[in-house]
Amino acid sequence: ESNLNPKYTFENFIVGSSNQFAHAAAIAVAENPGKAYNPLFIYGGVGLGKTHLMQAIGNFVKEHFPSKTVVYVTTESFMNDLIDSLRNDRMTQFREKYRTVDILLIDDIQFISGKDRTQIEFFHTFNALYDSGKQVVLTSDRPPKDIPMLTERLRSRFEWGLIADIQPPDFETRIAILRRKAEDEGIEVSDEVLKLIASRIKSNIRQLEGTLLKLKAKAQLEGKPLDAELVRTTLSIEPGNSTSVSESFSETLPVDEIKKAVSQIMNVKIEDLDGNSRKKQIALARQIAMYLCKKLGNYSYPKIAAAFNRSDHTTAMHAYNRIKELREKDAQIQSLLYEIEGVLTRSVD
Ligand code: ADP
Ligand code: MG
């Protein structure tokens, strides 16, 4: 009922220069909950180990201080829990649940952006915990100062304790992570293979691990060994040039995924995104979908235009620029985009 995944531990968290500060802070908090740094705020890009580190704190506390209660929630489920509780007149239980724990772990707090009611409730949760010396740990894809539409009083509380960032892992750390993963999965690979993968996948540990598993599956399916040649052909690495960058194995989001997410969240039919309707909501959804194709998928403008049945690539370019501009000044668009991007980045898992 703490919602922790037992596979996220300190033991299997590989430490390198990119994450050693956040790791040390997490250890300090796990050993001295409520006393070391409160709150601990960990931030960094997608797939760099924030959730792993946060849950490692929880698992450590459960093991070493069995009497302490730990609750792990995503910001989204905290929000849904709040909405349900408000609707069903269960706020007493809600407050009881979150204000009496010893360690509260809230993942992806950036999604609280623009959610006014949730911010108010979380403010009180935070105060209640903090005042009674209970530990709060937060993760985010960005530092508190860069979370838009966040009340000043929450922002300042996020900054009260320790802010620790996680950077993309360097080459050695990537290799160490791959080696560990290969051992855990019983995959036999040479150092050359690990180096090739680590030279190709740089900025996301989930993707790094995923690539190893994909290569293993490919080797099995094709009845070939998982050797350097298989890695080279799969990742399109030219022999003798292990760091060559090729787009043929990019992990970009499929356009259809983007369309699906936009259509669901904005309540617009997928067909309408490809059609010609100029109704306000439909036209906006279409432009948002094109914008996300560029931003998250990094597709070329001609490709985006074609994917939306347009012959002129400037349509896609115009859409991108318009939404980018709107995002800077329109709070509603900003929070809408966060929601859609949240769904899309989670579905990459
Ligand atoms: P984030 O929450 O930052 O998006 P996760 O914590 O979900 O990232 O990490 C993505 C994957 O990478 C998980 O499977 C996690 O176990 C693994 N991972 C991340 N960092 C490390 C690390 N330093 N050592 C071992 N595995 C890691
Ligand atoms: Mg995470």
Side-chain angles (χ1 to χ4, degrees):
E1 46 120 342
S2 60
N3 285 332
L4 289 168
N5 183 338
K7 78 171 192 189
Y8 294 129
T9 61
F10 286 125
E11 284 75 37
N12 61 18
F13 188 86
I14 306 285
V15 184
S17 57
S18 57
N19 58 26
Q20 65 184 15
F21 181 62
H23 174 259
I27 296 263
V29 162
E31 288 176 343
N32 266 304
K35 299 196 185 77
Y37 309 108
N38 207 11
L40 173 61
F41 190 102
I42 301 171
Y43 78 89
V46 177
L48 295 185
K50 302 181 294 296
T51 298
H52 187 138
L53 212 44
M54 166 180 256
Q55 294 215 18
I57 297 175
N59 283 317
F60 182 98
V61 169
K62 271 179 62 177
E63 188 186 336
H64 293 84
F65 309 101
S67 64
K68 290 199 189 289
T69 51
V70 180
V71 164
Y72 166 87
V73 274
T74 63
T75 299
E76 201 186 9
S77 53
F78 180 85
M79 203 144 62
N80 291 335
D81 205 0
L82 172 64
I83 293 169
D84 280 351
S85 304
L86 285 167
R87 227 177 249 153
N88 300 314
D89 208 13
R90 293 175 52 88
M91 279 310 287
T92 315
Q93 289 90 328
F94 178 90
R95 288 178 180 142
E96 171 86 14
K97 172 173 171 191
Y98 290 103
R99 296 184 189 181
T100 56
V101 300
D102 294 301
I103 324 269
L104 180 61
L105 310 168
I106 302 217
D107 209 354
D108 286 320
I109 196 68
Q110 76 274 6
F111 291 125
I112 208 169
S113 165
K115 306 292 192 310
D116 298 343
R117 187 67 187 78
T118 310
Q119 290 190 23
I120 293 171
E121 193 57 38
F122 184 60
F123 174 73
H124 295 298
T125 307
F126 183 97
N127 290 343
L129 292 172
Y130 188 88
D131 291 345
S132 47
K134 309 302 181 161
Q135 180 71 46
V136 178
V137 182
L138 305 163
T139 70
S140 166
D141 68 352
R142 65 199 73 191
K145 67 175 171 48
D146 292 341
I147 301 177
M149 295 178 291
L150 178 67
T151 56
E152 212 33 58
R153 58 185 198 175
L154 265 184
R155 188 190 317 282
S156 79
R157 274 164 182 75
F158 291 175
E159 292 168 345
W160 271 356
L162 183 70
I163 300 180
D165 67 324
I166 303 188
Q167 294 295 324
D170 57 30
F171 186 63
E172 272 68 36
T173 310
R174 298 202 296 277
I175 291 188
I177 290 170
L178 281 170
R179 187 171 285 132
R180 174 69 194 242
K181 185 78 184 171
E183 271 168 27
D184 289 352
E185 301 285 334
I187 305 172
E188 269 184 45
V189 277
S190 65
D191 280 0
E192 191 192 3
V193 163
L194 297 182
K195 282 183 188 163
L196 280 173
I197 302 172
S199 68
R200 184 65 187 81
I201 314 284
K202 295 182 175 154
S203 59
N204 182 330
I205 293 169
R206 185 175 295 129
Q207 198 173 330
L208 199 62
E209 297 179 340
T211 302
L212 181 67
L213 297 178
K214 264 184 219 171
L215 285 163
K216 177 197 175 189
K218 191 168 182 211
Q220 269 169 356
L221 286 170
E222 296 180 0
K224 290 178 187 162
L226 203 184
D227 59 8
E229 195 199 314
L230 183 84
V231 181
R232 284 210 180 85
T233 50
T234 308
L235 307 189
S236 303
I237 298 167
E238 319 238 313
N241 181 7
S242 62
T243 52
S244 103
V245 175
S246 149
E247 292 314 312
S248 59
F249 189 77
S250 63
E251 288 275 301
T252 47
L253 268 159
V255 172
D256 286 344
E257 287 282 312
I258 296 174
K259 286 183 180 170
K260 199 171 108 197
V262 170
S263 116
Q264 275 170 0
I265 291 170
M266 295 188 68
N267 204 12
V268 165
K269 292 200 193 97
I270 292 195
E271 305 88 80
D272 282 341
L273 297 177
D274 300 338
N276 289 314
S277 165
R278 288 180 180 275
K279 276 192 193 143
K280 216 171 156 197
Q281 176 76 356
I282 295 176
L284 179 67
R286 186 182 298 131
Q287 289 191 318
I288 284 182
M290 289 185 185
Y291 164 84
L292 291 171
C293 285
K294 186 77 205 167
K295 178 163 182 272
L296 302 179
N298 199 23
Y299 294 98
S300 67
Y301 289 123
K303 266 205 178 135
I304 298 172
F308 287 79
N309 262 331
R310 263 68 188 169
S311 54
D312 184 359
H313 77 277
T314 58
T315 314
M317 198 153 60
H318 174 68
Y320 176 78
N321 289 329
R322 171 160 186 257
I323 301 301
K324 185 163 173 259
E325 232 171 76
L326 272 179
R327 178 173 206 154
E328 275 154 29
K329 55 184 191 214
D330 184 325
Q332 254 178 321
I333 295 284
Q334 214 170 68
S335 113
L336 180 64
L337 287 169
Y338 271 120
E339 195 181 338
I340 303 172
E341 287 177 357
V343 168
L344 284 169
T345 43
R346 264 193 302 280
S347 68
V348 168
D349 292 36

